[in-house]
C-alpha cells in the first residue's frame, strides 16, 4: 500500500508539473464549451435544450488530453522498467496512474462542468446529477483512456491512436450520462441511465488495469 | 537473501533475429560477471531477461531458493542506459522517488547522494545535468536501497575517471558484502570479474 501511495504522489506531481495539470484541461474544456454553442446557433432555448449534453460531451473530449503521456513518457525514458521491477504489481501501477490522471484533471473538470452548463442555460436542478455523472464518468474516462494509452505504447503518432482506440469506449458512458441528464431536465425517470453509467464505470475500473498491465508487459518485451 | 543466479540454456530472439542460444551462466554470491560481445549481440536483452522484462525464447533463469517474482521485486536492481529520470523534475525529487519505490528512505537517499557526489546538484532539474551526472543519479539507488543483484548496462560509459574509480570501489564493497554484479560492458570493469562473451 505504501508503494502505491509513493507512486500516486509521483504521478500527481508529474500531472501537475510542467505542461499539464488541471489548468490546461480546464482551459480546453472552456474552449470546447464556448465553441460548441457557436456552431449550434444563437437561439437560447435551443441551446438550453442541448446544454447538458454539451457540458457532458466536452468532459469526454477533455479527458483525452494528456492521455498519451500517461505511459508513453515512462516507457520512453526507461522509468517503466523501474516501475515494473518495484514492490507493486503492474496492475497496481496502472491503477495509480489512472487514479492520478482522474485526480489531476477528471475531478477538477467535473467540478467545473456545472458552471459551463449553467452558462449555456441548463436548468439548475441538473447540477448535482451533472457533478455525479462528471465524477464517475470521469473515472471511467481515465481508466479507459489509460487502456488506450497502454495499447498505443511504442507506436508512432501515439496520441492519435489513443483517441481512435478510446473514443468508441467512451460512447456508452456518454450515452448513459447524457440520457440521465436529459431525462432529469425533461422531468422523466433518470435513475436508469445513471445506474447504467455507474455500472460501466465500475467495470472499467475493475477490468482495465488487468489489460493495461498486460499491454505494458507486451510493450516492454 | 539471494545466494545465486543460474541461467540454463537460454535462447533469446528479437523479432525474426536469433540473438543467441544455449547460454549458460552461474553467478554466485560475491561474484561479478562481465558480459562482452559486439554491438547487438544481445547483452542488453540478456540483462532484461534476467530482470523479467523480456521473455526468453527457451531456457530458464533460476534465483536460488527464491520465487522469481519476489526475487525480482526485492533483490535486484537494474540500471540500463535509459535511466528512467524525468527531465522536468529536480534531481532530488527523482532520486527520492526511485529510492522510496525500491524500499529505501529519504535518509538513505541523502547518503547515497553524498556517496555519488551529487549533493550540489540535487536542486537542479534533471535536464540540466550532464550525461555523467545523470548516470550517477541513476546509480545512486544501488546504494540508497541495498539489493543483492545488480544488473548494469554499460554503467561506466559516461563517467569521468574520478567517478569511475569511486564506483569501482563501491562495486568491490558490494561484492565483499556478498553482492552479485552482472554487467554488460565494452571496457573491463574495475573489479575482478569473470568474462562471458554473448553471441560468440
Amino acid at each position: 500500500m505504501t508503494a502505491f501511495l509513493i507512486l500516486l504522489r509521483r504521478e500527481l506531481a508529474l500531472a501537475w508539473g510542467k505542461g499539464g495539470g488541471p489548468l490546461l484541461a480546464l482551459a480546453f474544456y472552456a474552449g470546447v464549451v464556448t465553441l460548441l454553442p457557436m456552431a449550434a446557433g444563437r437561439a437560447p432555448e435551443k441551446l438550453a435544450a442541448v446544454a447538458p449534453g454539451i457540458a457532458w460531451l466536452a468532459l469526454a473530449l477533455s479527458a483525452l488530453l494528456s492521455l498519451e503521456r500517461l505511459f508513453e513518457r515512462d516507457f520512453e525514458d526507461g522509468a517503466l522498467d523501474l516501475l515494473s521491477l518495484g514492490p507493486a504489481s503492474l496492475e497496481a501501477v496502472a491503477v495509480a496512474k489512472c487514479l492520478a490522471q482522474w485526480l489531476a484533471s477528471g475531478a477538477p473538470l467535473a467540478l467545473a462542468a456545472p458552471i459551463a452548463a449553467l452558462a449555456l442555460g441548463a436548468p439548475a436542478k441538473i447540477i448535482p446529477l451533472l457533478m455525479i455523472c462528471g465524477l464517475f464518468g470521469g473515472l471511467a474516462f481515465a481508466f479507459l483512456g489509460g487502456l488506450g494509452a497502454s495499447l498505443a505504447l511504442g507506436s508512432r503518432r501515439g496520441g492519435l491512436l489513443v483517441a481512435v482506440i478510446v473514443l468508441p469506449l467512451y460512447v456508452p458512458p456518454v450515452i448513459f450520462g447524457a440520457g440521465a441528464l436529459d431525462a432529469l431536465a425533461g422531468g422523466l425517470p433518470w435513475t436508469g441511465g445513471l445506474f447504467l453509467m455507474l455500472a460501466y464505470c465500475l467495470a472499467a475500473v475493475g477490468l482495465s488495469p488487468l489489460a493495461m498491465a498486460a499491454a505494458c508487459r507486451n510493450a516492454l518485451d | 537473501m539471494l545466494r545465486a543466479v543460474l541461467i540454463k540454456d537460454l535462447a533469446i530472439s528479437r523479432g525474426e533475429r536469433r540473438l543467441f542460444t544455449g547460454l549458460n551462466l552461474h553467478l554466485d554470491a560475491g561474484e561479478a560477471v562481465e558480459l562482452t560481445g559486439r554491438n547487438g549481440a544481445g547483452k542488453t536483452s540478456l540483462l532484461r531477461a534476467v530482470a523479467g522484462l523480456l521473455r526468453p525464447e527457451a531456457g530458464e533463469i533460476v534465483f536460488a531458493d527464491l520465487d522469481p517474482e519476489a526475487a525480482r521485486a526485492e533483490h535486484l536492481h537494474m540500471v540500463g542506459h535509459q535511466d528512467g529520470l524525468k527531465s522536468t523534475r529536480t534531481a532530488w525529487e527523482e532520486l527520492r522517488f526511485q529510492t522510496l519505490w525500491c524500499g529505501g528512505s529519504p535518509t538513505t537517499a541523502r547518503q547515497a547522494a553524498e556517496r555519488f557526489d551529487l549533493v550540489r546538484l540535487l536542486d537542479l532539474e534533471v535536464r540540466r545535468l550532464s550525461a555523467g551526472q545523470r548516470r550517477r543519479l541513476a546509480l545512486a539507488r544501488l546504494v540508497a536501497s541495498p539489493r543483492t543483484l545488480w544488473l548494469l548496462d554499460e554503467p561506466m560509459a559516461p563517467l569521468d575517471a574520478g567517478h569511475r574509480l569511486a564506483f569501482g570501489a563501491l562495486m568491490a564493497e558490494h561484492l565483499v558484502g556478498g553482492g552479485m554484479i552482472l554487467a554488460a560492458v565494452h571496457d573491463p570493469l574495475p573489479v575482478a570479474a569473470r568474462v562471458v562473451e554473448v553471441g560468440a
Side-chain angles (χ1 to χ4, degrees):
Chain A
M1 190 61 196
T2 48
F4 183 81
L5 291 178
I6 291 164
L7 182 61
L8 187 65
R9 228 183 99 179
R10 176 234 194 202
E11 293 297 326
L12 282 174
L14 283 173
W16 261 304
K18 294 211 167 79
L23 282 181
L24 193 62
L26 286 173
F28 181 78
Y29 183 73
V32 173
V33 173
T34 326
L35 271 180
L36 281 176
M38 289 180 192
R42 282 188 311 163
E45 62 284 2
K46 213 166 95 189
L47 197 55
V50 293
I54 288 180
W56 178 229
L57 178 67
L59 274 184
L61 291 180
S62 309
L64 286 173
L65 282 182
S66 73
L67 274 183
E68 185 197 359
R69 297 184 309 178
L70 200 57
F71 289 97
E72 189 72 33
R73 281 199 301 193
D74 282 339
F75 177 68
E76 275 174 0
D77 66 19
L80 202 55
D81 291 353
L82 179 69
L83 294 182
S84 60
L85 289 172
S89 65
L90 264 176
E91 285 82 1
V93 169
V95 171
K97 280 183 166 291
C98 295
L99 213 53
Q101 169 80 6
W102 179 69
L103 286 172
S105 70
L109 279 174
L111 300 179
I115 303 170
L118 285 177
L120 293 172
K125 66 176 174 181
I126 71 154
I127 296 308
L129 183 62
L130 181 58
M131 279 171 89
I132 292 172
C133 281
L135 283 173
F136 286 96
L139 203 55
F141 293 153
F143 275 78
L144 296 169
L147 177 60
S150 64
L151 286 172
L153 268 185
S155 68
R156 279 177 212 160
R157 312 288 302 275
L160 218 52
L161 189 56
V162 175
V164 172
I165 296 172
V166 164
L167 277 176
L169 298 173
Y170 281 8
V171 169
V174 167
I175 292 177
F176 299 147
L181 288 166
D182 247 4
L184 178 64
L188 297 165
W190 50 272
T191 45
L194 176 65
F195 287 146
L196 279 173
M197 204 206 67
L198 291 180
Y200 191 81
C201 169
L202 206 63
V205 172
L207 294 177
S208 62
L210 303 173
M212 282 187 261
C216 287
R217 276 188 203 105
N218 199 37
L220 288 171
D221 189 90
Chain B
M1 184 75 181
L2 177 62
R3 282 195 296 274
V5 182
L6 275 97
I7 299 173
K8 294 181 201 160
D9 245 344
L10 202 72
I12 292 183
S13 293
R14 304 305 285 145
E16 298 293 297
R17 216 158 58 89
R18 171 75 52 85
L19 292 179
F20 56 78
T21 53
L23 188 131
N24 288 288
L25 185 72
H26 184 225
L27 191 58
D28 274 321
E31 212 179 8
V33 165
E34 291 176 359
L35 301 170
T36 62
R38 59 193 161 70
N39 295 133
K43 302 186 289 291
T44 300
S45 296
L46 174 57
L47 290 178
R48 292 179 69 80
V50 174
L53 295 169
L54 188 156
R55 257 185 308 270
E57 196 182 9
E60 211 185 348
I61 298 164
V62 183
F63 299 90
D65 305 334
L66 288 173
D67 171 60
E69 291 263 325
R72 284 166 177 146
E74 290 162 30
H75 299 284
L76 163 165
H77 270 305
M78 179 160 128
V79 181
H81 27 193
Q82 282 179 306
D83 41 34
L85 301 165
K86 288 277 169 291
S87 55
T88 53
R89 299 229 290 162
T90 66
W92 171 243
E93 284 170 331
E94 283 299 278
L95 175 58
R96 190 186 135 95
F97 165 70
Q98 293 199 346
T99 302
L100 292 178
W101 181 249
C102 295
S105 70
T107 319
T108 60
R110 183 70 65 175
Q111 286 161 354
E114 281 165 24
R115 184 83 208 240
F116 279 88
D117 188 19
L118 290 163
V119 177
R120 282 179 312 110
L121 307 171
L122 289 179
D123 291 333
L124 294 178
E125 282 183 3
V126 170
R127 66 200 168 94
R128 307 253 174 243
L129 304 185
S130 73
Q133 289 168 332
R134 284 177 70 120
R135 178 56 55 88
R136 268 150 55 209
L137 187 61
L139 290 171
R141 70 170 183 266
L142 297 174
V143 178
S145 77
R147 291 181 172 190
T148 314
L149 175 60
W150 292 0
L151 303 174
L152 308 173
D153 200 346
E154 291 284 351
M156 314 293 267
L159 299 185
D160 63 39
H163 289 111
R164 279 179 191 221
L165 271 178
F167 186 55
L170 198 70
M171 283 195 279
E173 224 174 87
H174 178 62
L175 294 174
V176 168
M180 292 176 246
I181 297 175
L182 189 60
V185 293
H186 288 298
D187 304 315
L189 287 179
V191 289
R194 198 144 49 86
V195 179
V196 171
E197 191 173 351
V198 177

